[in-house]
């Protein structure tokens, strides 16, 4: 016998031995030992192992378990839909989007549909397509996904939206006005810095020392319902408050005596602003109010309604007068802010740019810029002369509720639902300081509009705080309200008077306490 045949016989012997060992091997299932198929059959015959037959009855799930399973299935379907939407590539060019919709026999555009909405509709349709070939064939150029995967990131495109001739005229007026204001502001800053008769550091120190002495001076019931907003007149002699009852009330300063009550809206007042020109006659436009009824209204100093700004599709947030006095800005929950002509009550600009509701709008002291803050946690700075968004204020983790420009022209303060106040430098195009100012959301931020040496924040934790604008040190805490502080303002007359309105339905005046106890020199 050859060596090769001997090796084969030995391999067959080992294989046979292995099979025998495998058949004799005992398999343990807990305490039940199974040695083979015969033992399983014996266990079934003895009634120790139960096998469900095809005809066995199935019990229905309880109603609660059935609803829970259906809810789980719906949630899983929603997760899968979102995943499919994320993984579906669609064109960014609107012409390609229209071509793709036409190729799959869908309406090219719907009534009132914007470019982003059209692209989202195409993405949703494609995500529901089961056939990959149909999906690729529907898009321009065939295998679209591979093309876009290999392509470089798309370049940002600059596009313009056609506006009325009145908007062009307003932009021209704004440009001329802002150039004069900027030149005047810079000349004043240069004069103050170079004049030997003016000591800016000493003036700052005196102002900071004075604001550390601010205390509560008076308190009045402002309304039967919570007050949401307040603002001093340009001369500082009157305070206007707006409440959820729809009433606007004017108060004398500093006596805090009610002078006039205006039934401004049927729904709650959400914002209020004075005309920036203190020389306005009582019969002319002096006040603008915003409301949850989707309108803003213009009033004279005598309480007569002079116009209605109507066009927003959602309730309004804050409202502001442009420093020139000819235009008004309104923020709305329809995700836009609008610019209005005061004289004609017509809408000049409907500005998009936020992905969620816009709550606040503010204007630069020169009138050249506007800032808008939304519940998408992003603030945007807009050039009023060109309409471009020039800076995005990104850093807050929750919605921005209030914005204000510093009189120095390059700082912006924002207050947010994340309990913080951020200071932004327009020159550096970013955030330069974060104030963990309150234990709740910040409802108002205000700069001292005279010199900008200090600023005011108000929050839903029931207090307002004064801060130094140089080192952002806390100067004073204004505690006294029994509810959320919903609005606050600094009097522009330089006296240091501050007004706050609250959910507790009161209006309070605060001012530096300059009283000093006499020194007794007698022994």
């Amino acid at each position: 016998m050859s060596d090769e045949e001997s090796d084969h016989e030995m391999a067959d012997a080992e294989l046979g031995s292995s099979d025998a060992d495998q058949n004799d091997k005992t398999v343990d299932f807990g305490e039940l030992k199974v040695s083979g198929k015969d033992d399983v059959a014996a266990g079934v015959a003895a009634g120790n192992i139960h096998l469900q037959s095809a005809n066995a009855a199935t019990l229905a799930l309880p109603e609660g378990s059935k609803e829970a399973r259906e809810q789980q299935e719906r949630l899983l379907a929603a997760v899968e839909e979102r995943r499919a939407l994320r993984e579906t590539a669609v064109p960014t060019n609107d012409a390609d989007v229209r071509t793709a919709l036409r190729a799959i026999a869908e309406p090219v555009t719907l009534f009132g549909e914007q470019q982003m909405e059209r692209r989202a509709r195409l993405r949703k349709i494609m995500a529901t397509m089961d056939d990959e070939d149909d999906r690729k064939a529907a898009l321009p150029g065939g295998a679209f996904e591979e093309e876009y995967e290999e392509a470089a990131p798309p370049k940002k495109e600059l596009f313009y939206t056609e506006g009325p001739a009145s908007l062009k005229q307003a932009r021209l007026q704004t440009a001329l006005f802002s150039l004069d204001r900027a030149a005047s502001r810079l000349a004043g800053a240069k004069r103050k810095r170079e004049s030997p008769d003016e000591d800016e550091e000493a003036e700052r120190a005196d102002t900071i020392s004075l604001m550390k002495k601010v205390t509560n001076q008076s308190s009045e019931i402002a309304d039967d319902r919570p007050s949401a907003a307040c603002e001093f007149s340009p001369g500082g002699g009157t305070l206007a408050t707006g409440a959820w009852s729809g009433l606007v009330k004017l108060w004398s300063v500093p006596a805090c005596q009610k002078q006039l009550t205006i039934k401004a809206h049927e729904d709650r007042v959400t914002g209020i602003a004075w005309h920036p020109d203190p020389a306005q006659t009582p019969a002319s436009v002096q006040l603008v109010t915003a409301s949850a009824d989707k309108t803003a209204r213009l009033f004279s100093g005598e309480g007569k309604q002079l116009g209605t700004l109507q066009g927003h599709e959602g309730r309004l947030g804050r409202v502001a007068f442009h420093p020139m006095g000819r235009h008004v800005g309104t923020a709305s929950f329809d995700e836009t802010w609008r610019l209005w002509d005061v004289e004609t009550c017509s809408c000049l600009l409907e500005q998009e740019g936020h992905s969620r509701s816009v709550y606040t709008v503010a204007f630069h002291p020169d009138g050249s810029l506007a800032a808008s803050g939304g519940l998408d946690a992003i603030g945007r700075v807009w050039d009023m002369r060109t309409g471009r968004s020039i800076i995005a204020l990104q850093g807050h983790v929750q919605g921005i509720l209030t914005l204000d420009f510093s009189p120095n022209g390059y700082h912006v303060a924002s207050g947010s639902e994340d309990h913080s106040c951020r200071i932004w430098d327009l020159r550096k195009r970013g955030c330069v300081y974060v104030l963990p100012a309150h234990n709740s959301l910040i409802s108002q931020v205000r700069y001292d509009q005279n010199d900008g040496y200090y600023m005011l924040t108000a929050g839903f934790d029931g207090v307002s705080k004064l801060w130094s604008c140089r080192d952002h040190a806390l100067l004073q805490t204004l505690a006294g309200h029994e509810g959320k502080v919903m609005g606050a303002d600094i009097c522009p007359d330089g006296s240091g008077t501050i007004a706050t309105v609250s959910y507790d339905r009161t209006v309070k005046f605060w001012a530096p306490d300059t009283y000093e106890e006499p020194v007794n020199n007698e022994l």
Side-chain angles (χ1 to χ4, degrees), residues 53 56 89 99 113 191 222 254 257 267 290 309 322 388 396 413 476 502:
S53 66
T99 302
E113 188 177 49
R191 183 174 59 254
Q257 297 294 322
D267 209 333
L309 310 180
H322 187 272
R388 294 185 179 182
H396 285 291
Q476 185 66 290
S502 168

Side-chain angles (χ1 to χ4, degrees), residues 7-28:
D7 291 341
H8 282 301
E9 288 180 358
M10 292 178 63
D12 292 340
E14 290 176 358
L15 181 60
S17 176
S18 176
D19 293 340
D21 293 341
Q22 188 173 2
N23 291 333
D24 295 338
K25 185 178 179 181
T26 300
V27 181
D28 294 336

Side-chain angles (χ1 to χ4, degrees), residues 391 410-411 423-433:
I391 301 176
Y410 52 84
H411 279 157
I423 310 300
W424 310 83
D425 194 321
L426 300 182
R427 302 168 301 180
K428 299 179 179 180
R429 306 175 69 87
C431 179
V432 294
Y433 203 86

Side-chain angles (χ1 to χ4, degrees), residues 45-57:
N48 295 327
I49 300 177
H50 297 278
L51 299 178
Q52 182 173 341
S53 66
N55 298 325

Side-chain angles (χ1 to χ4, degrees), residues 318 359-360 373-375 399-403 415-417 441-443:
R318 300 303 190 186
Y359 194 81
T360 184
L375 301 188
I400 296 176
L401 303 179
T402 176
L403 291 162
S416 169
E417 291 180 291
L441 66 82
I442 297 178
S443 57

